[in-house]
Amino acid sequence: MVKSVVKHFKSAFNKPVRMRKYQFIIPRRVVQLSILLLFTGGNYFGWEFLRGNYSSAIIADVMNLSDPYALMQIIAAGFLASSSVLIGALVVFLIYVIIGGRMFCSWICPLNIITDLAFRLRKTFKIEAENKINISRSIRFYILGLSLLVSFVFGMAAFEIISPISMLHRAIVFGSGSGLAIVALVFLVDLLVLKAGWCGHICPLGAFYSIFGRQAIIKVKHNHENCTNCMACFDVCVEEQVLSIVGKKSDFIRSGACTNCGRCIEACDDNALKYVLKFDMKKETII
């Protein structure tokens, strides 16, 4: 009888902990899949709520949303953008720069589902122990600059043509299978060659938002007093270098490379990491 009661209380105590492990990843997947569903519905069923793609979309035939990085490539290629596209790009730019930083990468981008799967499989099968290829994460900034240069020289939006994000979108929304090989290549590179190869080292879109999202008001904050140096956050973070303050001091994760995915918060059993609204370095509102 006593054992039964103890088991019941242990189960009741552990349930919130288990649910806490998925408090952000479930909403992230819901958002990512919902956007894909709306894009697909617009193509197959004529839904008008969201039409277009991740570079340029229109909401309910009223408001344009444009990727500012794609717009930069178009301008570099020598094309003019309409006022609606410019306004849409400004809106998206302000949303990420002021509010969420690099949240596109973890909350919107459909390729994140694929790369996260590769990341988890590497951990499950301990593939990282066998492959220790080190490539500078700065290479994505060179690719960012190169994409604008190529756009200028050849008069085309260079990255948009070869973007795995666009290819995955076309494969799912329009039933095009031509881009699936590139998506599969990204998955295999992430799984077998380089941990977080695409998102953490190559993707110029992530590099773009990491430059301009440093002062976004949604930040992860580390509380050194609660930290037990278990380093569980490092095991789940695709940009583990941003966690350099963990175990050392209380501070915000200041790096623009942080995708604000919340995985470190979910993994931390010490309640040492949490989202905050950062208005300045002295005041924050916990969310």
Side-chain angles (χ1 to χ4, degrees):
M1 178 67 178
V2 174
K3 289 183 178 180
S4 177
V5 172
V6 171
K7 184 178 180 180
H8 171 77
F9 276 102
K10 283 185 176 180
S11 176
F13 178 77
N14 289 329
K15 186 175 181 180
V17 175
R18 290 197 298 269
M19 290 304 297
R20 185 176 182 275
K21 297 295 183 182
Y22 306 99
Q23 61 179 319
F24 298 118
I25 194 169
I26 291 177
R28 282 170 52 208
R29 296 298 179 245
V30 169
V31 171
Q32 290 165 331
L33 294 174
S34 295
I35 292 173
L36 273 176
L37 177 62
L38 291 173
F39 275 134
T40 304
N43 182 57
Y44 287 102
F45 309 114
W47 297 351
E48 297 183 353
F49 184 78
L50 184 63
R51 293 185 292 116
N53 53 50
Y54 289 90
S55 296
S56 181
I58 183 169
I59 299 178
D61 285 332
V62 173
M63 182 178 182
N64 284 78
L65 294 176
S66 304
D67 173 26
Y69 172 50
L71 177 61
M72 287 176 62
Q73 294 172 71
I74 291 171
I75 293 175
F79 295 96
L80 297 177
S82 66
S83 59
S84 60
V85 171
L86 291 172
I87 293 173
L90 179 61
V91 169
V92 172
F93 182 77
L94 292 177
I95 288 174
Y96 289 123
V97 170
I98 296 177
I99 300 176
R102 204 183 150 194
M103 291 185 78
F104 170 85
C105 301
S106 58
W107 288 83
I108 307 296
C109 180
L111 196 62
N112 174 255
I113 300 173
I114 306 298
T115 57
D116 268 7
L117 175 61
F119 187 84
R120 293 292 297 274
L121 290 175
R122 284 183 69 95
K123 292 293 183 182
T124 300
F125 296 104
K126 302 185 185 303
I127 297 176
E128 70 274 12
E130 302 172 8
N131 297 281
K132 296 185 178 180
I133 297 176
N134 293 316
I135 297 178
S136 173
R137 292 177 182 268
S138 298
I139 192 173
R140 52 189 166 189
F141 297 102
Y142 293 106
I143 295 174
L144 170 62
L146 181 62
S147 68
L148 297 176
L149 178 60
V150 172
S151 297
F152 173 76
V153 173
F154 291 97
M156 61 182 182
F159 177 69
E160 300 307 307
I161 296 176
I162 62 171
S163 169
I165 302 169
S166 299
M167 291 181 179
L168 179 59
H169 172 267
R170 288 193 293 268
I172 295 175
V173 176
F174 301 108
S176 170
S178 60
L180 289 180
I182 298 298
V183 175
L185 179 62
V186 169
F187 173 77
L188 291 174
V189 168
D190 271 31
L191 177 63
L192 302 174
V193 181
L194 181 63
K195 182 173 69 174
W198 175 256
C199 296
H201 297 79
I202 299 173
C203 182
L205 183 57
F208 175 83
Y209 283 120
S210 70
I211 293 173
F212 296 101
R214 295 178 183 273
Q215 297 304 318
I217 63 173
I218 296 180
K219 291 286 188 182
V220 174
K221 186 176 182 181
H222 174 248
N223 185 341
H224 179 52
E225 293 181 359
N226 291 355
C227 183
T228 60
N229 293 306
C230 70
M231 299 303 163
C233 52
F234 280 85
D235 288 336
V236 298
C237 183
V238 298
E239 296 279 6
E240 58 189 38
Q241 79 282 0
V242 308
L243 298 173
S244 58
I245 64 169
V246 170
K248 299 176 182 178
K249 62 178 181 178
S250 296
D251 199 356
F252 298 98
I253 303 299
R254 298 172 182 265
S255 173
C258 177
T259 66
N260 269 338
C261 67
R263 289 292 289 129
C264 59
I265 301 174
E266 294 170 329
C268 182
D269 292 329
D270 303 320
N271 197 31
L273 294 160
K274 62 185 66 177
Y275 278 130
V276 297
L277 294 179
K278 181 186 73 67
F279 298 104
D280 56 43
M281 290 296 107
K282 298 179 181 179
K283 302 175 183 178
E284 73 267 359
T285 302
I286 298 174
I287 60 173

